[in-house]
Amino acid sequence: MRLVITDEAARDFEHIGDVIARDNPTRAKSFVRELNAACESLLVFPRRFLLVGKRSGTHKMTHGNYLIYYRVTGDIVEVLSVRHAARRQPRFR
């Protein structure tokens, strides 16, 4: 299996890090590392999390207060978006 982080998800990681860094720069770095590790964990049994878009094959996993949206295609796990649970969530069909 191979992990792919989309441009949108990479921007999400950067935004999350920037927001946390306003109060705690050290925690921002460690939390973004945790999010990356959570995404890497998807390489083992990637379909174990809730399917939220049947047609698109999009799954959702949680890490703390964040939701990680991803799709599995063949041997690729593609992270699509990472959002705080209190924010408006993307719709996947």
Side-chain angles (χ1 to χ4, degrees):
M1 302 277 323
R2 185 168 62 99
L3 182 67
V4 174
I5 306 291
T6 64
D7 290 341
E8 179 180 348
R11 285 189 299 272
D12 293 341
F13 281 116
E14 187 174 335
H15 175 73
I16 291 163
D18 289 346
V19 169
I20 296 171
R22 292 179 198 153
D23 294 324
N24 189 338
T26 303
R27 180 61 181 139
K29 290 177 186 177
S30 66
F31 189 73
V32 170
R33 280 194 301 268
E34 287 176 21
L35 282 173
N36 276 310
C39 290
E40 289 174 7
S41 79
L42 292 170
L43 296 175
V44 179
F45 302 118
R47 290 182 176 88
R48 69 187 182 268
F49 292 103
L50 181 66
L51 184 64
V52 294
K54 289 185 180 184
R55 287 187 198 157
S56 66
T58 303
H59 294 260
K60 174 177 71 174
M61 124 181 197
T62 60
H63 179 77
N65 291 327
Y66 288 83
L67 304 173
I68 300 169
Y69 294 92
Y70 66 96
R71 180 173 35 229
V72 182
T73 308
D75 67 342
I76 296 173
V77 176
E78 182 182 30
V79 177
L80 305 170
S81 181
V82 182
R83 301 279 177 94
H84 190 281
R87 289 185 58 204
R88 184 174 152 195
Q89 300 304 308
R91 291 195 180 258
F92 297 99
R93 299 191 191 278

